[in-house]
Amino acid sequence: MSSTIVLYPIPAIGHLISMVELGKLILTTKPSLSIHILVATAPYNAGDTSSYIAAVSAAIPSITFHHLPPVSLPPHLSASSTHHETLIFELIRLNKPIVLQALRSISRNDTVHAVIMDFFCAETLTVPAQLNIPCFFFYTSPASSLAAFFYFPTLHRKSHQSFKDQNTLLDIPGLPPIPSSDMPKPILDRNEEAYQHFLDCISYFSESSGMIVNTFESLEPRAVKAISDGLCFPDGVTPPIHCIGPLIVTKERRGVVQPESLTWLDSQPSGSVVFLCFGSLGSFSAEQLREIAVGLERSGQRFLWVVRSPVNVAASGLPDPDLDSLLPGGFLERTRERGLVVKNWAPQVEVLKHDSVGGFVTHCGWNSVLEAVCAGVPMVAWPLYAEQRLNRVVLVEELKLALPMNESENGFVSANEVEKRVSELMDSESGDSLRRRALAMKNEAEAALKDGGSSRVALTKLTESWN
């Protein structure tokens, strides 16, 4: 019987790709292993991963994907009225017997040394436990937000108010002071289902064999130390923490023809372009898109901007944004000498590594942050969902890698704010300071992944524990 590891991601594109990349990384230290990946059917538009999965399957025969049959969610849960996180937790609960069946099936032919699950799958820990298989959780967000989650039960007991109503700074070990309203979106209201789901999650963390985190120690030293010292989880047992990052997708080119965005960047001066891109699920209202355009035009900076259809249009399935109707009249013509707007997608890793790019306006999704860190590019932090507001605080106050994009009460960002932050990032002493810090952290990231580096040592220790 061959030796195998089973991975169980949630279907959201950022989580699934990170988990597959973890599988590929494991194979670099343990090429004798085979890897089975259980793929659940998403209960909402979680981003299309089919071409990515097909490419991995074709390139790496030792990775096998198992597509789990779809399950029906209760009628009271709908993608339009419920937090995506609540839908995922319900999907995971309903999938437990299917996962047990899949593990039993895989175990008939292979020796399963470990199951690695996305942290959202926490309650599925009981399934590998039935089969006496060690279970690890993979945390796809920063150690900083893991510290906040470990400390969540303590914060829950300290106040009977929802985070959204507390209007205070939270003191969490290993983190700068966090405004209560910047806690992860699904737990802002303690009356929401997602709040209780996340609270329940934490109890399972203690029972795992360890937690694998997509970060590296020198990026988040205070958070990693606070977790490892047990300060974040005073009432429970903190599992071993394995920081194995930065784990990013390095090949994402679609087709053989060089995308227009890269060709255009080739013609721009070194470090002169600010890149604006907001993740696979990041959409704005038409009004907000116009405001970004006005701010960019006023800034006078060179820019490469990825635009998606507005939120209400994107939801209806219209694939391509109509730039002429969405952006201010004449904008594309007036800025064509120094700006490029592309629809829906650009090869983000390659763009960030391009010599012409000197700044990145990002939604603070952790995969995007790590890609910027690996490219040595400073950021403007404009969070949209999930734990991204907390990431912004950490990026600005703790890591000193970003400027904050400040919103109004209703979350709207003015053209003046866009102009101010883009100009500050690209053309000021504070922007230059961030740039120096970003380049230093790029070197730290490379060192962590080399032989003898912290992440390489952590990964080797982890895989050797499976013998």
Side-chain angles (χ1 to χ4, degrees):
M1 293 177 86
S2 64
S3 298
T4 196
I5 303 293
V6 176
L7 307 184
Y8 183 28
I10 62 168
I13 185 167
H15 288 249
L16 185 139
I17 289 177
S18 285
M19 184 74 93
V20 177
E21 293 299 315
L22 174 64
K24 287 156 70 172
L25 183 65
I26 288 167
L27 289 177
T28 64
T29 59
K30 284 274 183 181
S32 59
L33 286 173
S34 64
I35 289 182
H36 293 265
I37 301 176
L38 310 181
V39 182
T41 303
Y44 62 90
N45 175 16
D48 182 16
T49 54
S50 55
S51 60
Y52 171 78
I53 288 173
V56 172
S57 297
I60 309 172
S62 51
I63 294 182
T64 305
F65 291 89
H66 301 260
H67 291 271
L68 304 181
V71 294
S72 298
L73 296 186
H76 75 279
L77 294 177
S78 74
S80 58
S81 62
T82 310
H83 278 299
H84 286 164
E85 291 82 1
T86 303
L87 300 176
I88 286 291
F89 280 122
E90 187 61 20
L91 172 74
I92 296 307
R93 186 184 70 78
L94 293 171
N95 265 341
K96 281 173 72 174
I98 299 170
V99 171
L100 178 61
Q101 194 178 355
L103 283 178
R104 282 187 169 141
S105 172
I106 293 165
S107 299
R108 279 197 282 272
N109 301 311
D110 296 315
T111 303
V112 180
H113 287 287
V115 174
I116 302 174
M117 298 181 184
D118 192 286
F119 72 99
F120 271 93
C121 307
E123 76 163 283
T124 311
L125 179 82
T126 56
V127 173
Q130 286 179 57
L131 306 176
N132 293 316
I133 300 170
C135 181
F136 296 79
F137 290 120
F138 180 42
Y139 196 73
T140 51
S141 295
S144 303
S145 77
L146 180 58
F149 270 128
F150 270 131
Y151 205 61
F152 178 28
T154 305
L155 294 171
H156 172 73
R157 283 195 306 276
K158 282 184 176 179
S159 173
H160 295 294
Q161 276 186 307
S162 293
F163 291 125
K164 67 182 177 66
D165 300 323
Q166 288 182 26
N167 192 26
T168 187
L169 289 173
L170 302 173
D171 185 17
I172 299 170
L175 300 190
I178 304 292
S180 52
S181 57
D182 281 348
M183 285 295 276
K185 212 165 194 173
I187 63 170
L188 284 176
D189 185 344
R190 66 197 292 148
N191 298 314
E192 294 266 8
E193 279 184 72
Y195 184 97
Q196 189 60 47
H197 282 307
F198 276 110
L199 209 49
D200 294 340
C201 243
I202 317 299
S203 60
Y204 291 106
F205 288 176
S206 291
E207 299 169 34
S208 71
S209 298
M211 298 202 70
I212 303 163
V213 189
N214 188 10
T215 192
F216 54 103
E217 283 187 26
S218 58
L219 179 63
E220 303 181 85
R222 278 211 316 139
V224 171
K225 187 173 190 315
I227 296 169
S228 302
D229 289 350
L231 302 179
C232 302
F233 202 22
D235 301 329
V237 178
T238 302
I241 303 295
H242 307 275
C243 298
I244 52 79
L247 192 58
I248 63 172
V249 183
T250 48
K251 288 188 178 176
E252 55 165 352
R253 181 74 65 84
R254 301 178 180 184
V256 291
V257 179
Q258 172 157 294
E260 178 192 14
S261 51
L262 294 178
T263 304
W264 181 81
L265 284 172
D266 288 341
S267 68
Q268 303 304 310
S270 177
S272 67
V273 176
V274 62
F275 175 47
L276 298 90
C277 190
F278 299 92
S280 51
L281 303 175
S283 291
F284 292 107
S285 66
E287 185 186 7
Q288 183 66 83
L289 287 173
R290 284 191 292 274
E291 207 76 4
I292 295 171
V294 171
L296 282 176
E297 185 171 359
R298 281 193 205 149
S299 76
Q301 300 295 329
R302 297 172 190 270
F303 64 87
L304 170 60
W305 179 19
V306 179
V307 172
R308 287 196 170 78
S309 290
V311 180
N312 56 336
V313 179
S316 69
L318 189 70
D320 273 0
D322 178 357
L323 298 180
D324 289 326
S325 67
L326 287 172
L327 304 178
F331 169 79
L332 294 171
E333 181 61 30
R334 288 192 304 275
T335 60
R336 69 189 175 92
E337 295 299 321
R338 60 178 174 85
L340 179 67
V341 180
V342 297
K343 298 178 181 181
N344 295 328
W345 178 86
Q348 183 165 292
V349 172
E350 289 175 274
V351 167
L352 286 168
K353 287 186 171 176
H354 197 286
D355 177 66
S356 297
V357 172
F360 181 30
V361 181
T362 173
H363 65 311
C364 305
W366 191 238
N367 291 336
S368 291
V369 168
L370 288 178
E371 287 164 10
V373 167
C374 289
V377 175
M379 292 164 266
V380 172
W382 186 345
L384 300 179
Y385 51 89
E387 89 294 358
Q388 292 162 11
R389 290 176 71 94
L390 189 146
N391 291 354
R392 172 174 59 188
V393 178
V394 172
L395 283 168
V396 173
E397 304 295 339
E398 181 81 6
L399 307 187
K400 312 287 190 210
L401 291 170
L403 298 169
M405 191 74 88
N406 295 315
E407 316 105 325
S408 64
E409 289 270 318
N410 64 1
F412 194 74
V413 172
S414 69
N416 284 345
E417 176 70 5
V418 173
E419 176 191 3
K420 175 184 169 187
R421 290 306 183 185
V422 166
S423 298
E424 187 182 354
L425 183 68
M426 300 303 289
D427 191 18
S428 77
E429 177 48 45
S430 57
D432 290 343
S433 174
L434 292 180
R435 198 159 286 107
R436 288 190 292 272
R437 170 87 178 145
L439 287 169
M441 205 44 70
K442 173 188 177 183
N443 294 333
E444 293 278 345
E446 289 169 358
L449 295 174
K450 285 179 179 166
D451 285 343
S454 62
S455 293
R456 178 58 68 167
V457 168
L459 180 68
T460 303
K461 189 176 173 184
L462 175 67
T463 56
E464 285 178 351
S465 73
W466 299 333
N467 288 339

